[in-house]
Structures are given as C-alpha cells and as structure tokens.
Amino acid sequence: MKGNMYRTYKCSELREKHVGEEIKLAGWVDTIRDLGGVLFIDEAYGLNERYGTSDGFGKQAIEVLLKEMEDKRGTFCVILAGYKKEMQELISLNPGFSSRIAFELEFQDFTREELKLICKKMISKKKYISSEEVINKIIDVTEYYKGKENFANARTLRNIINQIIMNQNLRTEDEVSNELILADVLEYIDDEGIVLKQKETNTVNHGQQLD
C-alpha cells in the first residue's frame, strides 16, 4: 500500500449511503484504493441479511467487496470486525470470502484486573468515586456476562456502569453526592435478575489442634 488513508464505516452507515439510490458499491473503496490505505467495516456481520435488512444490500455488497479485494489486491487493505459467531456466518455466505482473508485475529476477553482498571477509569471520567468493594462487585457482574451472547468486554462494562449511575442518581436525588455505593450495584443485580456464584472461602487454622 502506498498511502495512509484510513476510513471506518459501520455496516448500517454503508447501507444508509446506498439504499434508495442506484447502488454503486464500488464507491466504498475508490478513494482508499487510489490513495492506498485501509477500509475498516465495523459490525460487518450486518452484511448478512439475517442481521441486517432484506433489501438485497448485503448480498450485493459482498459481491462487490470481494471483486474489489481480488481485482485491487495489494493496493488497499480491508478489515472486517464483529462478533466471532456472526462473522463466521458472514464468511460462509460466499465461498470466495475465506480465500481472500489472509489473517484472522481473535481478541481475548480482558482479564479481571484489566477490567478493574478500565472500570476505575470509566467511573473517574464520569466524575464519580467508589470503593474497592464496589469496583469488585461491578467486575463480578461484568464477568457474569462473559460467555453469554454478544458479551462486549469494555462496552458491556460501560453499560453496567451507566445503569448503576442511574441507580445512584435516583438514590441521591435529594442530596449532593458523587459516590457509587454497594447498594447501587446490588439494585442493578436485583433489577436484572442476576445470580452471582458465591465465592468459595477456605478457613485455615494455624497453631490450633483439632480433636
């Protein structure tokens, strides 16, 4: 590639640009191809009409995209992003897809400690404070969603925090406070019907003889 052009679209944005018009989907890549760069399509599984709309856009878009990837190979880069299961379904829609994808990257979920750091930064950025106990309970809730459909790491965590902040706002509507407390998190847990696993605790007796 000869340039550093970078353009990002969500699949829904691409559809909005073309539905109701004479669809000239090759226009997606014209500028990027000419300058040499990267076309990044987020939530690309939306090209699969199972997750998008049944207007014929997705099928036509895939055909045009594959042709551009083949005819202009080496002049620009295409990155398709989305949830693993949905992306696998998308690639299976056309036999030419997998052969044109040189690399597949799967990003692992954040660790508990990484989520804690992200959580603290998110709360601080929103001008709230919280104890370590509250942070740990928020991460317990976040990890509850791990393995469930469409778990989105930091995005899921952000949604949880936003809901907890709403609980805090309701609780403190007659006072001035920017502290998130355990009750705010527990209310979220109750509202969502979440059942957290009880953590095992091991009691060790030192210097004590048991009969």
Side-chain angles (χ1 to χ4, degrees):
M1 298 186 297
K2 60 184 179 180
N4 59 2
M5 181 73 175
Y6 186 95
R7 184 160 297 175
T8 301
Y9 291 107
K10 285 188 179 291
C11 183
S12 57
E13 293 172 336
L14 291 173
R15 176 176 288 106
E16 289 171 2
K17 289 177 180 294
H18 298 285
V19 168
E21 305 173 3
E22 181 181 358
I23 301 178
K24 297 180 179 179
L25 296 173
W28 283 7
V29 296
D30 283 346
T31 303
I32 295 173
R33 181 198 62 214
D34 293 341
L35 296 178
V38 178
L39 172 64
F40 183 100
I41 304 177
D42 195 14
E43 300 176 358
Y45 51 81
L47 296 175
N48 181 350
E49 294 186 357
R50 176 180 175 185
Y51 301 104
T53 60
S54 57
D55 54 18
F57 172 85
K59 183 175 184 296
Q60 187 176 4
I62 292 172
E63 292 172 353
V64 171
L65 182 60
L66 291 179
K67 185 176 187 303
E68 292 292 304
M69 290 170 68
E70 180 63 28
D71 293 349
K72 310 303 187 301
R73 186 173 62 253
T75 63
F76 75 106
C77 174
V78 177
I79 301 176
L80 306 175
Y83 297 117
K84 182 177 180 179
K85 177 184 175 183
E86 287 82 349
M87 292 301 295
Q88 289 174 337
E89 290 183 21
L90 172 66
I91 292 171
S92 70
L93 292 178
N94 189 302
F97 234 143
S98 59
S99 63
R100 288 176 174 81
I101 297 176
F103 303 100
E104 179 180 340
L105 298 177
E106 182 177 353
F107 296 97
Q108 299 299 315
D109 291 336
F110 288 122
T111 65
R112 183 178 180 88
E113 290 306 309
E114 289 169 335
L115 286 170
K116 284 179 68 173
L117 290 175
I118 295 169
C119 182
K120 291 177 180 179
K121 288 181 179 179
M122 285 182 174
I123 290 174
S124 176
K125 187 175 181 179
K126 292 177 180 293
K127 309 300 183 185
Y128 286 88
I129 60 174
S130 60
S131 68
E132 194 70 17
E133 180 185 26
V134 170
I135 295 293
N136 280 321
K137 186 61 69 173
I138 292 174
I139 302 307
D140 288 344
V141 173
T142 305
E143 292 194 320
Y144 165 84
Y145 288 109
K146 274 189 178 181
K148 297 186 182 298
E149 188 174 6
N150 295 340
F151 173 73
N153 281 289
R155 186 188 305 170
T156 297
L157 174 58
R158 182 176 66 243
N159 292 338
I160 293 169
I161 291 173
N162 286 340
Q163 291 297 318
I164 291 171
I165 288 175
M166 288 180 62
N167 292 342
Q168 191 272 358
N169 291 343
L170 292 172
R171 176 178 58 80
T172 62
E173 59 182 346
D174 296 325
E175 60 182 279
V176 178
S177 173
N178 68 335
E179 183 179 8
L180 303 179
I181 65 174
L182 190 59
D184 301 322
V185 185
L186 295 178
E187 183 176 355
Y188 171 86
I189 291 173
D190 186 59
D191 289 344
E192 297 297 317
I194 295 172
V195 178
L196 298 177
K197 293 181 179 179
Q198 294 295 323
K199 295 182 179 180
E200 295 182 1
T201 57
N202 295 319
T203 301
V204 179
N205 294 301
H206 296 285
Q208 181 179 0
Q209 185 175 355
L210 300 178
D211 293 333

